[in-house]
Amino acid sequence: MRRVLIIVLTSLLLFCQSSLAEVNHVSINKQLFALGKAPMLKVNIVTQDSRYDELQFIVSQRSGDEVLMVSPLNDYLYQLTGFEDVTDKDALLIVKEHYVNRWREVKRLRLFDGRDVRLSGDSELDEIMYGRTRASQSNRSASTAVATAQKRTSGKLNSVAQTGQVKPQCLLDYQGKRTLWRVASQYAPQWGLNTYGAMLAIFDANPKAFNDSNINGLRADIQLNCPAESVINKYQDAKVAKQTFEAMSS
């Protein structure tokens, strides 16, 4: 019996290990932002199974950490994007992989090598920072259209309280000095959501708090209402929440 138990446990361990992304190589391919700007870069990465959902990329600086959004360009090249300006010249890019039931760190890369990054004449950077190309606009998926329609509908609400979108007499801890990502990161664990879902819930509960109904246009001169339970429940699916947010941000 003991021998059978050992065999079963060994098989389970091998199965868990075989399902890992297992990073073999990671390096910065191209820097698409300068010190003082929001992070945007491309990384080269080689894994055993090329599952980017098993990987996590984090910018770590003195002001705190931010988990970056990941957009695979191909099996070996990913684009990473964030919202928090990187003001620390010693900031790091930390790469983690999901190991069995936890995240473990596999790589640390200095973003600036202690120096300010000078960019000049980078047409690709201009394209990404100041607008999408006509081609990318024409190739939006159906999910993007649905998310955009949802955003417009939310922006037309006349009375948030009457729609049951907010929790009565409940305000979020926001004094206009933090980004939506920071606020959502604070409340996501207690709501049982990932950060993307928490941002969407805050957006739904506070349509007038965003300039031109743009989820990237959080105003600094307002108070934020707590989303109702029904709103929070809409964004329990982490992958769908991330896809919806990315569609609304495009």
Side-chain angles (χ1 to χ4, degrees):
M1 183 66 181
R2 182 179 178 183
R3 182 179 180 183
V4 173
L5 182 59
I6 292 175
I7 293 174
V8 171
L9 291 175
T10 302
S11 299
L12 287 173
L13 179 61
L14 291 174
F15 172 79
C16 291
Q17 290 178 338
S18 65
S19 65
L20 298 177
E22 194 164 340
V23 177
N24 297 319
H25 168 81
V26 59
S27 61
I28 295 177
N29 174 277
K30 193 169 187 179
Q31 194 92 350
L32 299 173
F33 75 105
L35 186 65
K37 301 296 183 180
M40 183 178 294
L41 64 155
K42 294 180 180 179
V43 295
N44 301 311
I45 191 157
V46 179
T47 65
Q48 283 193 349
D49 59 9
S50 300
R51 291 187 58 186
Y52 75 94
D53 58 332
E54 297 285 344
L55 301 173
Q56 196 174 70
F57 301 87
I58 302 167
V59 168
S60 180
Q61 57 178 325
R62 291 189 182 93
S63 60
D65 295 347
E66 178 185 12
V67 179
L68 302 181
M69 293 191 299
V70 184
S71 299
L73 302 177
N74 56 48
D75 287 345
Y76 308 103
L77 183 64
Y78 297 167
Q79 182 164 304
L80 311 179
T81 310
F83 298 95
E84 297 289 335
D85 291 343
V86 181
T87 57
D88 182 357
K89 64 183 179 62
D90 297 318
L92 300 173
L93 175 66
I94 300 176
V95 183
K96 294 184 178 182
E97 66 179 354
H98 197 259
Y99 183 83
V100 185
N101 62 348
R102 65 182 179 86
W103 291 97
R104 70 174 183 180
E105 184 177 316
V106 295
K107 188 79 171 183
R108 287 192 170 209
L109 298 169
R110 291 172 64 89
L111 286 173
F112 302 115
D113 292 328
R115 301 190 306 274
D116 188 354
V117 176
R118 305 288 182 179
L119 300 175
S120 59
D122 192 329
S123 59
E124 182 175 12
L125 174 62
D126 293 338
E127 175 184 310
I128 295 174
M129 293 297 288
Y130 299 106
R132 307 288 182 177
T133 61
R134 292 181 180 177
S136 65
Q137 291 175 344
S138 62
N139 291 329
R140 287 180 179 174
S141 64
S143 61
T144 302
V146 171
T148 302
Q150 180 184 22
K151 178 184 66 175
R152 289 174 179 172
T153 300
S154 298
K156 293 178 181 179
L157 294 175
N158 294 323
S159 175
V160 179
Q162 292 179 356
T163 62
Q165 298 284 78
V166 305
K167 188 178 296 185
Q169 299 179 337
C170 178
L171 295 176
L172 301 180
D173 179 19
Y174 175 68
Q175 290 81 39
K177 297 180 180 180
R178 295 192 296 165
T179 63
L180 178 60
W181 179 273
R182 284 287 187 205
V183 178
S185 298
Q186 176 183 342
Y187 289 96
Q190 69 187 65
W191 293 344
L193 303 175
N194 67 352
T195 303
Y196 299 100
M199 287 193 291
L200 292 172
I202 293 171
F203 179 78
D204 277 9
N206 299 273
K208 295 182 180 180
F210 296 82
N211 291 317
D212 300 322
S213 299
N214 186 339
I215 199 168
N216 295 317
L218 179 62
R219 293 165 49 186
D221 60 338
I222 46 80
Q223 290 182 322
L224 292 177
N225 296 298
C226 302
E229 195 71 26
S230 59
V231 176
I232 292 173
N233 290 337
K234 288 168 55 179
Y235 301 110
Q236 294 294 322
D237 190 314
K239 288 186 177 180
V240 172
K242 180 179 179 182
Q243 292 171 356
T244 303
F245 177 82
E246 290 177 345
M248 292 171 67
S249 299
S250 62

